[in-house]
Amino acid sequence: MTAPTPPSFTTQLVHSDRHFGVEHGGVHKPIHTSVQYGFDKVEDLIGVFQGTLKGGYNYARQGTPTTAALEAKLTKMEQGVGCVSFATGMAAITALFMTLLRAGDHIVSSKFVFGNTNSLLGTMSDLGVQVSKVDATAVAHVEAALQPNTRLVFVETLANPGTQIPDLEAIGALCKAKGILFVVDNTILSPHLFRPATVGAGLVIHSLTKTIAGHGNALGGAVIDTGLFDWSCYPNIAQAYRTGDARQWGLVQIRKKGLRDMGATLSAQHAHLISTGAETLTLRLAQTSATALALAQFLEQHPAVAKVHYPMLPSHPQHAIAKKHFKAGSWLMSFELRDTSRCNEVINRLKLPIAATGLADNRSLIIPVAPTIFWEAGAAVRADMRIDDGLIRLSVGLEECADLVADFEQAL
Ligand SMILES: *Cc1c(COP(=O)(O)O)cnc(C)c1O
């Protein structure tokens, strides 16, 4: 006898709200705007503060029923054991670093990371955390950087904007062997295309603003615990949080110190927008990934284009990892023109992709990388992160593929 097949990703997603027992039979979790939560018996209020009354709320900075519903969805999507949501992706990363690291600790980070994450790593270094930035496409570089005080290894599954892919499986195995926390920013791919738990990640980060929300109308971030890391071995967990199920210790500290005390709480309104946006995740990714691949193939053979960075092209240096682990290549690509002096002209000639920063909107967005999002970083950092002056980033939207190809054809 075969075991019954569990409902698929989207099937679970679109039915998850009503299984929480939504008031009045609503099929969506409503937007709870209340800041205060009152109780008939003061003992229940005390129970919420002391953590003995499960599922209770006291003050909206620490979460609402609306953020809790989104957190439950995200936990399911990554098949983890818990989630804490934040106002933005950067708030999630900041809370994680600030609550899990102390002065004198060391971390190893991929050098191919989101620009503001790279800038935050500089702040962490100013605060006394040693940071080694390595080319994580080869596990040997990560291993060579490890020190006795290394607390975590940080990578992005598909780096923005260069599309580099870390040696995910080998880094996961290395972290497991050494008992080091493996933190993976899975913003671009989302759990539909890849689940970092499959390569041993302990914590997964999302900027919900991008792939998961999808519509360019809400900011949000999240940290999800996969349940794979043994927090009882992690030195920086405060004594107060070393009680109960050890699999929850990390997230409890991130929620208390990183959300309650630092205060970058996701609003109920945005949690709701992200929740409904997430329902069409698989449909959006199927369309944008197919379009991005066709467009990448078109650009790669075009005489005006020098180079295309897209993981599902056989020319991509980590194509084998992408083929093995990712369901599709996503909507993110970048490319370089042969004549880089034509960069602005070509972008201005495009009628569909909008010259704008931001990612994973339903509309295609295009941006020259060096003079904008990586301008403040300076030439030396750009060279180290392999961001050439002519690199153009494209976030592929839901426009029909033929329309985009025709637009690029006329612009080039
Ligand atoms: C955008 C982004 C972030 C930051 O997210 P915000 O929601 O904009 O704060 C972090 N990591 C990656 C990979 C991103 O693309």
Side-chain angles (χ1 to χ4, degrees):
M1 228 170 64
T2 53
T5 316
S8 69
F9 194 89
T10 299
T11 306
Q12 288 196 46
L13 206 55
V14 296
H15 287 278
S16 72
D17 272 349
R18 68 189 179 92
H19 291 315
F20 281 110
V22 178
E23 303 84 334
H24 315 298
V27 295
H28 278 282
K29 190 77 187 163
I31 302 172
H32 285 268
T33 56
S34 189
V35 172
Q36 270 71 242
Y37 290 81
F39 298 87
D40 291 337
K41 292 205 327 268
V42 73
E43 286 80 0
D44 286 343
L45 175 62
I46 293 167
V48 174
F49 270 87
Q50 298 187 359
T52 51
L53 185 76
K54 293 291 169 212
Y57 302 90
N58 56 9
Y59 188 70
R61 183 171 5 89
Q62 298 171 54
T64 59
T66 318
T67 55
L70 174 64
E71 287 167 359
K73 268 185 202 178
L74 296 166
T75 303
K76 254 209 169 122
M77 287 161 78
E78 290 284 4
Q79 296 177 32
V81 296
C83 169
V84 183
S85 60
F86 292 89
T88 66
M90 285 320 302
I93 301 173
T94 302
L96 188 155
F97 285 169
M98 294 295 285
T99 57
L100 295 183
L101 300 170
R102 292 182 186 167
D105 286 344
H106 171 250
I107 72 171
V108 179
S109 171
S110 162
K111 67 175 171 183
F112 305 120
V113 292
F114 182 61
N116 301 149
T117 303
N118 188 55
S119 174
L120 175 65
L121 289 170
T123 305
M124 294 311 295
S125 159
D126 292 342
L127 292 171
V129 174
Q130 287 174 270
V131 180
S132 300
K133 293 180 196 169
V134 302
D135 177 351
T137 59
V139 67
H141 299 147
V142 176
E143 185 158 22
L146 294 182
Q147 299 178 184
N149 59 341
T150 305
R151 295 283 169 255
L152 62 87
V153 173
F154 179 88
V155 303
E156 291 179 6
T157 40
L158 184 62
N160 156 24
T163 75
Q164 293 90 351
I165 303 169
D167 198 348
L168 291 162
E169 217 174 330
I171 297 171
L174 173 70
C175 288
K176 186 173 181 197
K178 305 272 182 190
I180 294 171
L181 176 62
F182 186 25
V183 180
V184 175
D185 181 335
N186 197 29
T187 294
I188 309 295
L189 293 180
S190 90
H192 175 55
L193 297 186
F194 173 68
R195 276 196 312 110
T198 60
V199 294
L203 293 178
V204 180
I205 292 168
H206 282 285
S207 163
L208 303 172
T209 316
K210 317 285 174 57
T211 312
I212 289 184
H215 295 62
N217 59 0
L219 290 159
V223 180
I224 296 143
D225 194 320
T226 61
L228 296 176
F229 185 69
D230 181 4
W231 292 103
S232 66
C233 299
Y234 197 78
N236 296 347
I237 300 292
Q239 203 51 45
Y241 308 139
R242 291 179 168 274
T243 60
D245 182 1
R247 289 189 312 170
Q248 295 292 340
W249 292 2
L251 277 194
V252 168
Q253 178 148 312
I254 290 169
R255 185 181 294 281
K256 301 270 187 173
K257 301 287 182 193
L259 185 66
R260 183 195 63 189
D261 299 356
M262 295 177 191
T265 306
L266 178 63
S267 73
Q269 286 85 350
H270 280 187
H272 185 77
L273 284 172
I274 294 163
S275 248
T276 45
E279 292 183 354
T280 54
L281 178 67
T282 60
L283 308 179
R284 287 185 279 107
L285 279 172
Q287 165 105 356
T288 54
S289 295
T291 304
L293 177 58
L295 203 52
Q297 287 163 340
F298 166 78
L299 290 173
E300 193 170 47
Q301 57 75 48
H302 198 284
V305 175
K307 193 143 189 47
V308 181
H309 308 276
Y310 190 68
M312 291 305 166
L313 289 177
S315 58
H316 191 283
Q318 293 90 41
H319 179 61
I321 298 180
K323 284 292 273 188
K324 179 169 180 195
H325 292 283
F326 306 164
K327 215 172 263 159
S330 91
W331 41 264
L332 174 70
M333 73 167 79
S334 51
F335 63 96
E336 289 152 46
L337 298 176
R338 265 186 215 292
D339 178 359
T340 53
S341 71
R342 287 189 63 216
C343 189
N344 292 2
E345 173 212 324
V346 167
I347 292 175
N348 285 333
R349 286 172 68 104
L350 285 166
K351 295 190 168 62
L352 293 175
I354 303 164
T357 190
L359 297 165
D361 200 312
N362 289 337
R363 309 127 189 88
S364 293
L365 307 173
I366 194 161
I367 192 164
V369 176
T372 58
I373 46 180
F374 275 90
W375 182 245
E376 185 186 301
V381 169
R382 287 199 295 272
D384 189 46
M385 294 174 84
R386 294 198 207 127
I387 292 172
D388 289 335
D389 286 347
L391 188 71
I392 298 172
R393 181 182 78 185
L394 177 66
S395 169
V396 175
L398 293 178
E399 299 94 344
E400 287 296 333
C401 183
D403 296 336
L404 284 172
V405 170
D407 196 21
F408 272 92
E409 185 136 50
Q410 66 79 23
L412 289 166

XYZ file of all heavy atoms in Angstrom, residues 90 125 141 189 195 209 215-216 236 281 314 322 325 335 349 383 388 402:
142
model
N 15.794 43.412 5.510
C 16.979 43.883 6.235
C 16.752 43.831 7.747
O 17.680 43.562 8.512
C 17.354 45.312 5.800
C 18.026 45.429 4.436
S 19.252 44.154 4.023
C 20.425 44.330 5.344
N 31.086 44.427 11.754
C 32.518 44.455 11.967
C 32.907 45.655 12.849
O 33.720 45.535 13.766
C 33.170 44.452 10.587
O 34.438 44.933 10.621
N 37.041 27.511 0.137
C 37.232 28.893 0.615
C 36.542 29.104 1.953
O 37.029 29.831 2.810
C 36.696 29.901 -0.410
C 37.378 29.825 -1.740
N 36.736 30.089 -2.928
C 38.653 29.493 -2.061
C 37.585 29.931 -3.922
N 38.749 29.560 -3.427
N 14.927 32.681 -4.650
C 14.341 31.423 -5.137
C 12.985 31.120 -4.506
O 12.094 30.609 -5.170
C 15.302 30.268 -4.886
C 16.597 30.315 -5.705
C 17.463 29.115 -5.360
C 16.305 30.332 -7.206
N 14.480 24.428 -1.191
C 14.372 24.507 0.269
C 15.758 24.329 0.883
O 16.352 23.255 0.785
C 13.421 23.428 0.804
C 11.959 23.863 0.752
C 11.078 22.988 1.621
N 11.316 21.568 1.415
C 11.891 20.757 2.298
N 12.283 21.210 3.478
N 12.059 19.485 2.014
N 9.355 40.885 0.716
C 9.090 41.940 -0.266
C 9.197 41.440 -1.700
O 8.528 41.953 -2.589
C 10.158 43.056 -0.071
O 10.315 43.308 1.324
C 9.785 44.313 -0.800
N 4.109 41.345 -5.563
C 3.412 42.384 -6.301
C 4.008 43.784 -6.149
O 3.426 44.765 -6.613
C 1.937 42.400 -5.899
C 1.204 41.149 -6.279
N 1.550 39.913 -5.774
C 0.172 40.933 -7.113
C 0.743 38.994 -6.288
N -0.094 39.585 -7.105
N 5.135 43.881 -5.462
C 5.757 45.199 -5.308
C 4.897 46.171 -4.516
O 4.948 47.379 -4.745
N 25.614 31.625 22.544
C 25.046 32.957 22.790
C 23.561 32.970 23.118
O 22.914 34.015 23.002
C 25.291 33.863 21.572
C 26.774 34.098 21.334
O 27.607 33.803 22.189
N 27.112 34.599 20.160
N 2.404 32.218 -5.718
C 3.852 32.046 -5.859
C 4.234 31.064 -6.974
O 5.043 31.375 -7.848
C 4.431 31.575 -4.515
C 5.913 31.283 -4.456
C 6.707 32.562 -4.645
C 6.287 30.643 -3.121
N 23.588 26.708 -19.716
C 24.749 25.819 -19.542
C 26.062 26.592 -19.360
O 27.014 26.074 -18.789
C 24.763 24.996 -20.836
C 23.346 25.016 -21.305
C 22.802 26.367 -20.918
N 22.661 24.352 -9.944
C 21.300 24.835 -10.205
C 20.420 23.706 -10.728
O 19.291 23.517 -10.271
C 21.340 25.994 -11.200
N 19.653 21.205 -7.815
C 18.901 21.616 -6.627
C 17.694 22.526 -6.874
O 16.804 22.584 -6.029
C 19.839 22.318 -5.637
C 20.855 21.402 -5.022
N 20.532 20.516 -4.013
C 22.172 21.223 -5.281
C 21.607 19.845 -3.672
N 22.626 20.248 -4.418
N 23.140 40.938 -17.233
C 23.888 40.797 -18.487
C 24.765 42.014 -18.722
O 24.620 43.038 -18.054
C 22.937 40.558 -19.675
C 21.974 41.683 -19.956
C 22.264 42.642 -20.927
C 20.782 41.790 -19.266
C 21.387 43.678 -21.195
C 19.894 42.829 -19.520
C 20.192 43.773 -20.488
N 15.715 52.918 -24.313
C 14.938 52.505 -25.489
C 13.916 51.423 -25.163
O 12.978 51.203 -25.932
C 15.887 51.984 -26.582
C 16.669 53.094 -27.284
C 17.712 52.466 -28.183
N 17.075 51.766 -29.297
C 17.021 52.234 -30.527
N 17.559 53.405 -30.812
N 16.452 51.543 -31.476
N 34.684 45.613 -7.597
C 35.621 44.713 -8.282
C 35.689 43.376 -7.541
O 35.643 42.305 -8.151
C 36.998 45.347 -8.361
N 30.869 44.377 -12.750
C 31.499 45.185 -13.787
C 30.697 46.458 -13.997
O 29.492 46.494 -13.747
C 31.579 44.377 -15.096
C 32.618 43.264 -14.985
O 33.548 43.415 -14.171
O 32.466 42.241 -15.680
N 7.095 36.808 -25.554
C 7.308 37.337 -26.916
C 7.364 38.863 -26.900
O 8.129 39.474 -27.660
C 6.193 36.853 -27.842
